[in-house]
Amino acid sequence: MGQLARSIQNRQLQAMPNDQERKQQFMTALEKDWPRIVASMPKHMTPDRIFQMYQSTLSREPKLRECTLNSVLSCFMKCAQLGLELSNADGLGKAYIIPFFNNKNNEMEATFLIGYRGMLQLARNSGEIKSMQAKAVYDGDEFHYQFGLHEDLVHIPAEKRPRNAKLTHVYFIALFKDGGHQLDVMTRDEVDAVRSRSKSKNNGPWVTDYEAMAIKSVIRRAFKMLPNSADVKEEVQQHVDAYTPDYSGILPSSPEGLPDSDADAPEEPSDIDGVLADGGTEQPAEEPDPVEVKRRDVIRRFQQLGVTSDAEACGTISKVLGREVKETGGLPEADLDVVLAQLKASVREGE
């Protein structure tokens, strides 16, 4: 058996008894509380499917099992009440349950967060939306807009946009079935102000996918003006008003790296491929970067093997590559190929 496989299996064997007992506690509590959760669901949700989704979330997210039981069940209840499905299980970016360490209570707690795709779904559920779209504007595009009694926006993208063209604005438009509309525009400075408040402003998607993060920012800001049913408006508003720093959504952080107060709860994971299209459906995502695909594959395989922090993964990667690696995001393709080969070989040897 390879050194990597032995190290991972030893760590799993040491943690297994407590983790298995904790997992069973959560599953038992979920079953006991399930009738109350079902009673809060809107009619379009299928209880059996949602139950499987919640079970899958508990199984796949070891950090959640370190959170207080009440905080996790409360998140399940909020998600059901809003009629959203958990992205921890389906990856669609509508709602998340994220663990963080609360220094006030000195314990891990689960936080419920509505993703921007969930916000858009809630707006569509109001029955008042005809279409929505969000786009980025770059140097060289023809672009002008005005607010007031006669709002207007014109955007004609440049036919030959330079590769180094700078993003100048992002905007969001919602057309209502009654003929009205909602328009919001953010300048580059306003987007950068959002970025500056993020703990991940200098790495992750703010660096690799700036346009998508900028578009997500204008969607979140515009959402508070979109129609929502009265029974979800208060809950949703809490998620829009509070500033929340980035949560990578890649590897769960250690308690030391997680937010330490309710006011500093984590931002939704950066599920940013594809945004909006007319008629309320999402645009096809661009062809993914092959290096990014391999990086995500490395992360996924570490998660499956029980490695629960980026620092822990980097420690193992450093041993594999024979040099210090501080973050997974900066690995070149050649290094990713080496790490993937070792991970695959270790799994085979472990079996």
Side-chain angles (χ1 to χ4, degrees):
M1 183 185 296
Q3 182 180 357
L4 177 63
R6 285 196 299 270
S7 174
I8 291 172
Q9 286 194 346
N10 287 338
R11 182 166 56 250
Q12 288 178 318
L13 288 172
Q14 292 172 1
M16 187 174 297
N18 289 336
D19 184 62
Q20 288 298 323
E21 291 174 5
R22 188 70 173 161
K23 180 178 178 180
Q24 187 57 51
Q25 290 176 356
F26 275 80
M27 295 299 187
T28 300
L30 177 60
E31 291 177 1
K32 182 178 179 180
D33 209 39
W34 189 242
R36 188 169 67 94
I37 295 176
V38 171
S40 70
M41 290 181 184
K43 294 181 179 180
H44 74 268
M45 299 189 84
T46 306
D48 288 346
R49 183 172 183 273
I50 301 304
F51 183 75
Q52 294 297 324
M53 183 173 289
Y54 288 177
Q55 284 191 321
S56 175
T57 297
L58 290 173
S59 295
R60 295 174 55 182
E61 302 282 358
K63 279 293 180 182
L64 279 183
R65 301 195 293 272
E66 298 178 17
C67 297
T68 62
L69 183 58
N70 285 340
S71 69
V72 174
L73 292 177
S74 175
C75 290
F76 284 156
M77 174 64 78
K78 289 180 181 179
C79 195
Q81 287 174 334
L82 294 175
L84 299 176
E85 296 187 356
L86 277 177
S87 293
N88 301 66
D90 66 14
L92 296 181
K94 295 180 180 179
Y96 304 87
I97 298 180
I98 300 174
F100 75 101
F101 190 75
N102 188 330
N103 279 345
K104 293 180 180 178
N105 300 331
N106 196 32
E107 59 188 2
M108 292 287 289
E109 293 182 349
T111 298
F112 176 68
L113 184 70
I114 301 175
Y116 74 93
R117 296 176 192 269
M119 293 180 178
L120 297 174
Q121 179 181 319
L122 292 173
R124 295 187 191 106
N125 290 349
S126 70
E128 300 179 35
I129 300 291
K130 180 180 178 181
S131 68
M132 293 182 283
Q133 61 176 268
K135 295 186 181 296
V137 181
Y138 285 83
D139 281 332
D141 293 359
E142 180 181 340
F143 180 70
H144 57 84
Y145 63 97
Q146 65 180 32
F147 295 113
L149 294 178
H150 304 286
E151 289 189 340
D152 187 30
L153 183 146
V154 174
H155 178 207
I156 303 176
E159 290 187 7
K160 295 183 178 180
R161 179 182 294 163
R163 293 180 61 87
N164 61 347
K166 182 179 179 180
L167 183 148
T168 62
H169 301 78
V170 286
Y171 62 89
F172 173 84
I173 302 173
L175 301 181
F176 303 146
K177 291 181 179 179
D178 64 2
H181 71 275
Q182 176 64 38
L183 169 65
D184 197 3
V185 179
M186 290 181 72
T187 65
R188 173 74 179 236
D189 287 344
E190 290 176 306
V191 171
D192 285 341
V194 174
R195 177 182 180 176
S196 69
R197 298 193 295 269
S198 168
K199 290 183 178 179
S200 303
K201 59 178 177 285
N202 294 322
N203 55 70
W206 274 114
V207 176
T208 62
D209 300 275
Y210 182 88
E211 177 185 307
M213 293 296 286
I215 288 175
K216 186 173 76 171
S217 297
V218 75
I219 291 173
R220 291 180 66 86
R221 191 174 82 169
F223 179 72
K224 63 181 67 179
M225 301 303 294
L226 295 179
N228 286 284
S229 58
D231 57 337
V232 304
K233 203 171 190 67
E234 182 178 352
E235 174 67 36
V236 169
Q237 199 64 39
Q238 296 175 5
H239 294 266
V240 179
D241 289 341
Y243 162 67
T244 53
D246 284 322
Y247 178 84
S248 67
I250 297 173
L251 284 173
S253 302
S254 61
E256 292 77 15
L258 290 167
D260 59 7
S261 74
D262 293 298
D264 200 22
E267 186 180 341
E268 67 185 275
S270 302
D271 174 22
I272 52 181
D273 50 332
V275 184
L276 294 171
D278 293 342
T281 57
E282 295 174 356
Q283 293 176 339
E286 295 182 1
E287 191 69 24
D289 181 0
V291 177
E292 178 65 15
V293 171
K294 290 181 180 180
R295 185 179 70 85
R296 292 182 179 180
D297 191 18
V298 166
I299 292 166
R300 178 180 60 81
R301 290 177 182 276
F302 270 120
Q303 290 176 323
Q304 291 174 342
L305 291 168
V307 177
T308 58
S309 73
D310 196 34
E312 189 177 9
C314 287
T316 302
I317 292 171
S318 297
K319 293 179 181 178
V320 172
L321 298 178
R323 60 178 172 79
E324 184 180 11
V325 174
K326 295 184 177 180
E327 59 179 22
T328 57
L331 289 172
E333 186 172 11
D335 287 348
L336 291 171
D337 288 336
V338 173
V339 175
L340 276 173
Q342 181 62 57
L343 285 170
K344 293 175 183 177
S346 298
V347 170
R348 287 194 297 269
E349 292 177 19
E351 291 175 347

